[in-house]
């Protein structure tokens, strides 16, 4: 049955009962007592209604579900409906609170910055990524105008122009950000920041690498092409000139080959999918072989010694050999005749360390941090003269990185250089120690 119908039936029955009883009293005791009884009955009914109305008004002041009063008559239905409504409300509120918590957490984890502003760009809310991208602090800056917080002429122009369909690329606080502004809900705007500093850096490195590599390959190619042209224009060149041209062409060919090999090695080392197969490296055997090769390369022009007092390590034999050989070869190439080169392998509390110390030309401080960049050379012509590709230290750095080792460089111009490869203690082959 419809609740309204029940309400009306029960209210009518109650009034009819009072009136019926009053009529019966009037019939038995006369009209006056009957009327008095009817008036008392109606007053009682009104008082009961007022009493429940008061309880309802009390409850509405503090609508706590456990304090909901029991009803009487039609009030039973009213209170039970209120109970259901309130329970539904509480459930909705809990769900909303859960959603809000989840939304906040998602916003906190989001790598992109999100700022919510009103229609006149006053900050209402922002997530931690936006705080770090734009140097904001939600606590302090809430209610401030975003243009007073993000002080950048590019950003100002973007806001003034208001062409939000095109994103803004903003250089701000040593970051590169892509900024979008999206109007929503009529009177609000969302500002989204996406940090592209790292991908820009990688892109620039890639562009530089391609430009440098092309340049490096073009030089020997130009030389080879030049000699080929001479050979075709002057077929009757004498044998000794022809031989010297062929020798120079072969040198340039070898240079190109070294370059391509080093480039391939670097690419392979950098590729995540190129797995490292760790061997137990016999360090004494490896360093003695490197010493022998160093003597051969120096051809008696330097005094080269090896001090061996360290353990065997786990690592890729080929990669470690190539890295250490690179350091030793550099010491020979950048140390004038009669110079001294010391190779040291020792064990320290922080792990085994390989040191190559020379008293060669040295490097001034401003270059040191850039030496491991690809194609970075202090003196281009000297590097070429000594058959350098400019990739040696970049390869060393990557090999060491793959072995959780660090490259440290100390150098003083005209005094000499010290290149150290510090391996972690975890690299030591333990059962062979003592
Ligand atoms: P390159 O093939 O030019 O030697 P590397 O990457 O091996 O390239 O080295 C980068 C630069 O670091 C070299 O061009 C040189 O200027 C400098 N360098 C490396 N080792 C030494 C050293 N032992 N003494 C002085 N300069 C060095």
């Amino acid at each position: 049955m419809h609740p309204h119908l029940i309400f009306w039936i029960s209210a009518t029955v109650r009034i009819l009962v009072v009136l019926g009883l009053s009529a019966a009293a009037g019939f038995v005791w006369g009209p006056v007592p009957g009327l008095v009884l009817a008036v008392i009955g109606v007053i009682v009914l009104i008082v009961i209604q007022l009493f429940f109305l008061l309880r309802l008004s009390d409850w509405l002041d503090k609508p706590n579900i456990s304090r909901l009063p029991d009803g009487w008559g039609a009030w039973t239905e009213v209170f039970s409906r209120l109970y259901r409504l309130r329970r539904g409300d509480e459930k909705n509120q809990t769900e909303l609170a859960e959603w809000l918590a989840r939304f906040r957490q998602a916003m906190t984890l989001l790598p992109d910055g999100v700022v919510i502003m009103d229609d006149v760009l006053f900050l209402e809310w922002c997530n931690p990524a936006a705080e770090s991208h734009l140097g904001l602090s939600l606590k302090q800056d809430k209610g401030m105008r975003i243009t007073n917080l993000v002080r950048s002429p590019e950003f100002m122009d973007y806001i003034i122009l208001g062409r939000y369909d095109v994103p803004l690329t903003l250089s701000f606080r040593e970051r590169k950000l892509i900024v979008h502004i999206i109007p929503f809900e009529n009177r609000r705007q969302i500002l989204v920041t996406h940090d592209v500093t790292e991908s820009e850096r990688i892109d620039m490195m890639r562009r530089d690498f391609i430009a440098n590599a092309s340049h490096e390959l073009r030089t020997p190619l130009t030389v080879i092409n030049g000699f080929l042209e001479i050979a075709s224009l002057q077929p009757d060149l004498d044998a000794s000139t022809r031989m010297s041209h062929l020798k120079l062409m072969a040198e340039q060919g070898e240079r190109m080959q070294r370059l391509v090999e080093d480039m391939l090695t670097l690419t392979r080392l950098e590729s995540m999918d190129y797995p490292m197969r760790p061997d137990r490296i016999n360090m004494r055997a490896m360093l003695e072989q490197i010493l022998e090769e160093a003597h051969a390369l120096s051809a008696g022009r330097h005094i080269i010694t090896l001090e061996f007092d360290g353990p065997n390590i786990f690592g890729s034999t080929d990669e470690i050999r190539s890295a250490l050989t690179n350091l030793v070869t550099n010491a020979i190439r950048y140390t004038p005749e009669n110079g001294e080169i010391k190779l040291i392998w020792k064990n320290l509390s922080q792990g085994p360390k390989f040191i190559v110390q020379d008293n060669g030309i040295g490097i001034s401080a401003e270059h040191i941090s850039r030496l491991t960049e690809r194609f970075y050379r202090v003196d281009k012509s000297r590097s070429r003269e000594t058959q350098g590709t400019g990739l040696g230290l970049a390869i060393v750095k990557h090999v060491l990185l793959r072995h959780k080792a660090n490259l440290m460089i100390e150098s003083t111009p005209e005094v000499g250089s010290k290149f150290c490869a510090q391996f972690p203690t975890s690299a030591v082959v333990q059962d062979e120690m003592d």
Side-chain angles (χ1 to χ4, degrees):
M1 216 187 298
H2 195 276
H4 281 175
L5 203 60
I6 299 175
F7 175 86
W8 285 115
I9 291 174
S10 67
T12 316
V13 165
R14 240 165 265 137
I15 291 167
L16 283 180
V17 167
V18 170
L19 292 179
L21 282 175
S22 311
F27 190 70
V28 176
W29 294 304
V32 176
L35 204 65
V36 169
L37 203 67
V39 170
I40 291 173
V42 170
I43 289 174
V44 168
L45 281 178
I46 292 173
V47 168
I48 289 172
Q49 301 309 316
L50 284 176
F51 170 75
F52 280 109
L53 207 61
L54 196 72
R55 294 197 72 180
L56 175 64
S57 139
D58 264 1
W59 182 80
L60 284 175
D61 282 342
K62 256 194 203 159
N64 187 335
I65 198 160
S66 58
R67 282 184 59 246
L68 197 70
D70 290 329
W72 179 81
W75 287 99
T76 318
E77 176 62 17
V78 171
F79 286 132
S80 77
R81 278 205 195 155
L82 268 177
Y83 178 80
R84 283 197 299 273
L85 262 175
R86 186 72 201 138
R87 218 175 52 179
D89 256 16
E90 280 184 3
K91 205 171 139 228
N92 280 348
Q93 249 177 31
T94 321
E95 271 175 16
L96 267 175
E98 278 171 9
W99 263 106
L100 200 65
R102 237 176 278 158
F103 172 79
R104 285 236 167 90
Q105 202 194 6
M107 283 293 167
T108 308
L109 295 175
L110 204 68
D112 285 351
V114 179
V115 179
I116 298 181
M117 309 170 295
D118 66 10
D119 52 343
V120 277
L121 304 171
F122 283 89
L123 173 72
E124 288 186 348
W125 182 86
C126 69
N127 70 347
E131 289 187 314
S132 101
H133 288 175
L134 300 170
L136 304 174
S137 154
L138 182 58
K139 258 194 202 151
Q140 285 168 19
D141 301 334
K142 194 172 172 175
M144 306 247 293
R145 202 153 194 266
I146 197 82
T147 41
N148 292 336
L149 300 168
V150 182
R151 293 195 165 272
S152 143
E154 292 160 273
F155 185 67
M156 276 297 214
D157 290 348
Y158 185 67
I159 297 280
I160 291 168
L161 270 175
R163 289 208 44 210
Y164 297 154
D165 47 332
V166 187
L168 164 74
T169 307
L170 179 68
S171 298
F172 191 64
R173 291 164 36 101
E174 291 172 13
R175 283 179 203 262
K176 190 131 239 179
L177 302 171
I178 304 284
V179 178
H180 285 268
I181 295 186
I182 309 151
F184 86 113
E185 269 190 356
N186 264 338
R187 312 205 54 192
R188 285 208 166 70
Q189 319 193 52
I190 305 183
L191 182 148
V192 182
T193 55
H194 179 62
D195 190 351
V196 289
T197 320
E198 189 54 19
S199 55
E200 277 276 317
R201 195 184 64 82
I202 292 171
D203 253 20
M204 204 160 89
M205 263 175 62
R206 196 168 293 144
R207 279 198 299 271
D208 281 358
F209 182 66
I210 292 172
N212 282 325
S214 319
H215 178 77
E216 294 287 335
L217 287 170
R218 199 176 53 192
T219 319
L221 257 180
T222 314
V223 178
I224 293 173
N225 280 338
F227 285 127
L228 285 175
E229 205 177 306
I230 294 172
S232 66
L233 292 175
Q234 304 173 18
D236 45 354
L237 265 182
D238 64 280
S240 75
T241 315
R242 186 179 294 265
M243 276 313 288
S244 87
H245 285 186
L246 281 175
K247 192 170 161 261
L248 288 168
M249 278 161 72
E251 271 172 17
Q252 296 303 320
E254 276 166 25
R255 185 169 153 204
M256 279 171 70
Q257 190 164 354
R258 271 198 309 276
L259 253 170
V260 172
E261 270 164 15
D262 277 1
M263 272 156 55
L264 286 174
T265 307
L266 248 185
T267 314
R268 209 174 47 229
L269 286 172
E270 271 186 333
S271 128
M272 292 290 196
D273 332 317
Y274 179 60
M276 198 180 75
R277 283 190 221 97
D279 322 304
R280 284 162 174 254
I281 307 177
N282 182 339
M283 288 304 288
R284 186 178 281 279
M286 181 185 279
L287 287 173
E288 278 172 358
Q289 190 192 348
I290 291 176
L291 179 69
E292 205 174 298
E293 286 164 8
H295 277 133
L297 182 69
S298 154
R301 289 175 295 129
H302 306 92
I303 302 159
I304 312 173
T305 54
L306 168 65
E307 203 178 291
F308 186 93
D309 188 21
N312 288 339
I313 57 168
F314 284 112
S316 153
T317 311
D318 289 344
E319 288 180 22
I320 294 290
R321 185 190 295 114
S322 120
L324 304 190
T325 305
N326 247 309
L327 295 179
V328 177
T329 322
N330 275 353
I332 297 168
R333 288 165 53 218
Y334 298 104
T335 302
E337 227 170 311
N338 299 324
E340 264 182 58
I341 296 160
K342 282 187 198 151
L343 317 185
I344 302 164
W345 178 241
K346 60 180 177 183
N347 203 9
L348 302 175
S349 58
Q350 65 266 42
K353 190 172 191 174
F354 178 67
I355 304 168
V356 186
Q357 191 161 9
D358 65 52
N359 57 359
I361 61 170
I363 308 154
S364 47
E366 73 267 25
H367 296 293
I368 292 184
S369 64
R370 302 198 57 192
L371 292 182
T372 54
E373 286 176 22
R374 300 132 184 237
F375 298 114
Y376 190 86
R377 291 136 161 158
V378 176
D379 177 349
K380 274 200 179 182
S381 56
R382 172 142 194 159
S383 161
R384 292 228 175 82
E385 260 169 46
T386 56
Q387 306 189 329
T389 59
L391 295 175
L393 289 180
I395 293 176
V396 172
K397 182 182 128 182
H398 272 95
V399 168
L400 295 186
L401 222 98
R402 276 161 67 82
H403 287 79
K404 299 190 172 61
N406 282 321
L407 177 66
M408 290 164 292
I409 308 170
E410 291 165 31
S411 189
T412 314
E414 314 293 336
V415 176
S417 312
K418 189 170 160 189
F419 284 75
C420 306
Q422 175 67 62
F423 289 85
T425 43
S426 56
V428 176
V429 177
Q430 288 296 348
D431 51 353
E432 291 174 5
M433 287 274 289
D434 68 358

